Amino acid sequence: MDEPGIPHAQRSHVNFSLSSSLGNSLVPSPTLSINELVRQMWANGETVYHLGFGESRFPAHPAIVRALVEHASRQSYLPSAGIPELRQAVAGFHSRQLNREIRPDQVIVAPGSKSLLFAFQLALSGATVLHTPSWVSYEPQSRLFNRPVLRMPASPEDGHQLHPARLHRILRHSPYDQHLLILNSPSNPTGQMLEPALLEEIADICRREEVLVLSDEIYGLTAFGREHVSISSFYPEGTVVFGGMSKHLSLGGWRLGTALVPPGDSGQQLLQAVAKIGSELWSTASAPIQFAAVTAYADDAELASYVEKCTALHAARTRYLWRGLSELDISCAEPMGAFYLFPNFNHWRKPFASLGVQTSVDLARYLLEEWQIATLPGSDFGTPARELSLRLSTSYIDLETDQKAAELIEMASASANVEELLSSHHPGMNEVLARLKNLLSSL
Ligand SMILES: Cc1ncc(COP(=O)(O)O)c(C=O)c1O
């Protein structure tokens, strides 16, 4: 607002307008927002059962912490694509994992894979195709620079399967010349995985239609339902693989993500374009974190067994909640990886409507306000507003403090029966199930 008659030097503010590409549709990331809201409610002394935030809570492995302390005094800017030692270590790690040679010059690191996913979308022309429901940030990132997004909806009835025929149809009818396909297996929000035969079929379509795949495999090492297979094994020339330390190593706040570009000249061109974007946005991933990450990507049996232990606990906790939901007849695909469930309450559409709950946003709000259960609405992940789906994360509940998370992993190491441990050490999860039971029987 202008302040008429007041000289410029005495005005209390400067007039400015926000960029039109931000528009009104851009909202803060829903996952970060729900976490802040729950923290605020806890600070006010309110009870909240937190199924809203996907953050692995287990302690940072001591060997990686030691490496970070050792390198804390590293203070210089580093190369945009990452230090050679780390690119070498990440290449070695993925060569072992993928069973083929990945060269260090195929690796780029950045502060989080989120930044890399943004930079790759920015670097490439065309439209982004999303298997939906999909992670909350892919579409908002595209919207920041007006990149078109084509959604490929999946249905709750068959566990949100990706149907190659649907992909084919979308590509054939698209008005755009070039496409990126973003895949995410294991998936946030559904916890589902894409099986190898399906990946092979998708790879064939993408090769024929010249579609580049951005394969977000950040949850690859938290797979438990079946072995994680990368689409890059079937389509190495057309896949960029994303990963990082946030999930299997529980180091989200350290902000270190990785991407592997295809071999050869076109991969190098792409990597250089992304490194240039990085040089203008974040300059470099933090220096001490990069040096510590060399240890995190080393060929180390003890570290690998720690990751397996954390994944086994995520698996047991997520399956425990899934079994509880199934006993209440809540429709939900059986989880295969990560720490997510994507149930839907469509069966109770009518009684919910009489409570004013018509959309997944209404449902998430109702659960928080009336039953103190924090979740995220399915529509944040691209499902139709009226589908009564929710994204539940099991990573936080009953592990609200660092101490609880450290105790659980210690107890799991000493216990022969993890299931027993769950029923006796998961009061929050049990309370959520009891509240859902009461809620459904009240409808
Ligand atoms: C599917 C998916 N991709 C990417 C990310 C971003 O991870 P990072 O911490 O590496 O930025 C997340 C984090 O929640 C995620 O769930």
Side-chain angles (χ1 to χ4, degrees):
M1 219 206 317
D2 210 358
E3 295 179 77
I6 300 179
H8 278 93
Q10 292 168 24
R11 284 183 190 176
S12 60
H13 68 273
V14 172
N15 282 324
F16 59 85
S17 48
L18 293 175
S19 151
S20 60
S21 69
L22 288 181
N24 291 329
S25 56
L26 193 68
V27 293
S29 168
T31 50
L32 299 177
S33 302
I34 186 83
N35 199 41
E36 278 168 34
L37 176 65
V38 172
R39 283 186 175 284
Q40 189 56 50
M41 291 171 80
W42 281 339
N44 296 343
E46 295 174 57
T47 300
V48 188
Y49 299 94
H50 196 0
L51 297 173
F53 195 42
E55 174 178 279
S56 182
R57 300 279 303 137
F58 298 120
H61 191 278
I64 310 178
V65 174
R66 273 197 304 276
L68 181 61
V69 171
E70 198 182 309
H71 291 283
S73 59
R74 302 270 186 178
Q75 69 208 89
S76 288
Y77 288 100
L78 299 174
S80 263
I83 52 172
E85 303 89 308
L86 178 56
R87 295 174 78 190
Q88 173 96 45
V90 172
F93 180 88
H94 285 286
S95 301
R96 292 187 295 277
Q97 207 193 19
L98 296 168
N99 220 358
R100 66 172 193 274
E101 196 203 351
I102 304 293
R103 295 160 40 111
D105 67 3
Q106 288 176 255
V107 175
I108 179 165
V109 305
S113 64
K114 194 185 241 185
S115 317
L116 284 168
L117 283 156
F118 176 83
F120 274 84
Q121 287 200 77
L122 184 61
L124 289 153
S125 67
T128 297
V129 180
L130 288 180
H131 175 212
T132 302
S134 61
W135 179 50
V136 284
S137 288
Y138 303 132
E139 184 174 0
Q141 284 193 345
S142 313
R143 269 203 246 115
L144 282 175
F145 45 93
N146 294 323
R147 187 183 172 86
V149 171
L150 304 174
R151 283 206 173 265
M152 185 166 47
S155 145
E157 277 79 47
D158 64 3
H160 307 281
Q161 282 295 309
L162 190 160
H163 294 280
R166 238 173 250 173
L167 171 61
H168 205 243
R169 229 179 2 256
I170 285 181
L171 295 173
R172 279 291 154 92
H173 293 107
S174 162
Y176 305 101
D177 291 340
Q178 275 193 52
H179 299 90
L180 283 181
L181 171 64
I182 299 189
L183 294 180
N184 174 216
S185 175
S187 152
N188 174 6
T190 64
Q192 298 301 290
M193 293 178 69
L194 301 169
E195 59 179 81
L198 180 59
L199 290 172
E200 210 168 345
E201 259 188 274
I202 300 168
D204 285 345
I205 295 175
C206 290
R207 184 177 292 114
R208 259 198 325 272
E209 304 288 333
E210 300 206 308
V211 171
L212 191 71
V213 177
L214 302 190
S215 184
D216 182 351
E217 301 180 19
I218 190 108
Y219 294 100
L221 286 165
T222 65
F224 50 81
R226 65 163 61 96
E227 197 192 345
H228 169 67
V229 174
S230 171
I231 189 167
S232 70
S233 300
F234 306 108
Y235 189 37
E237 74 278 22
T239 306
V240 181
V241 177
F242 294 82
M245 308 204 296
S246 298
K247 308 302 175 182
H248 63 283
L249 290 170
S250 312
L251 293 174
W254 285 28
R255 310 309 301 128
L256 197 284
T258 63
L260 317 176
V261 298
D265 289 347
S266 59
Q268 284 307 301
Q269 264 178 21
L270 182 54
L271 186 141
Q272 291 311 326
V274 169
K276 281 180 203 158
I277 293 171
S279 76
E280 300 296 2
L281 282 177
W282 56 78
S283 297
T284 169
S286 149
I289 296 292
Q290 286 201 52
F291 283 98
V294 175
T295 298
Y297 282 94
D299 187 5
D300 180 330
E302 205 217 298
L303 214 55
S305 115
Y306 182 67
V307 169
E308 271 175 30
K309 208 190 310 174
C310 295
T311 296
L313 276 173
H314 286 309
R317 285 161 46 79
T318 308
R319 285 180 169 143
Y320 183 82
L321 186 61
W322 175 74
R323 275 197 299 273
L325 297 179
S326 304
E327 278 163 22
L328 298 176
D329 283 331
I330 298 170
S331 163
C332 181
E334 184 173 353
M336 296 278 175
F339 21 82
Y340 303 113
L341 296 168
F342 202 72
N344 77 74
F345 293 74
N346 292 339
H347 179 69
W348 293 275
R349 206 185 280 287
K350 254 197 186 151
F352 270 129
S354 63
L355 295 172
V357 172
Q358 316 253 17
T359 64
S360 59
V361 170
D362 296 339
L363 179 59
R365 191 179 303 127
Y366 170 76
L367 279 178
L368 184 58
E369 286 172 3
E370 303 296 326
W371 300 88
Q372 294 73 49
I373 301 171
T375 64
L376 281 176
S379 56
D380 281 347
F381 300 83
T383 55
R386 286 179 178 272
E387 184 185 300
L388 295 182
S389 52
L390 296 174
R391 203 281 312 255
L392 311 183
S393 169
T394 58
S395 62
Y396 224 93
I397 191 156
D398 294 315
L399 300 179
E400 290 84 0
T401 62
D402 293 348
Q403 197 189 340
K404 279 190 190 177
E407 275 169 12
L408 182 68
I409 206 141
E410 255 172 52
M411 280 189 292
S413 306
S415 163
N417 189 343
V418 175
E419 297 298 319
E420 210 172 82
L421 197 68
L422 287 178
S423 47
S424 53
H425 286 85
H426 284 75
M429 228 186 265
N430 290 334
E431 183 60 27
V432 165
L433 289 168
R435 287 178 183 227
L436 287 176
K437 187 174 182 183
N438 288 343
L439 155 63
L440 295 180
S441 52
S442 75
L443 290 176

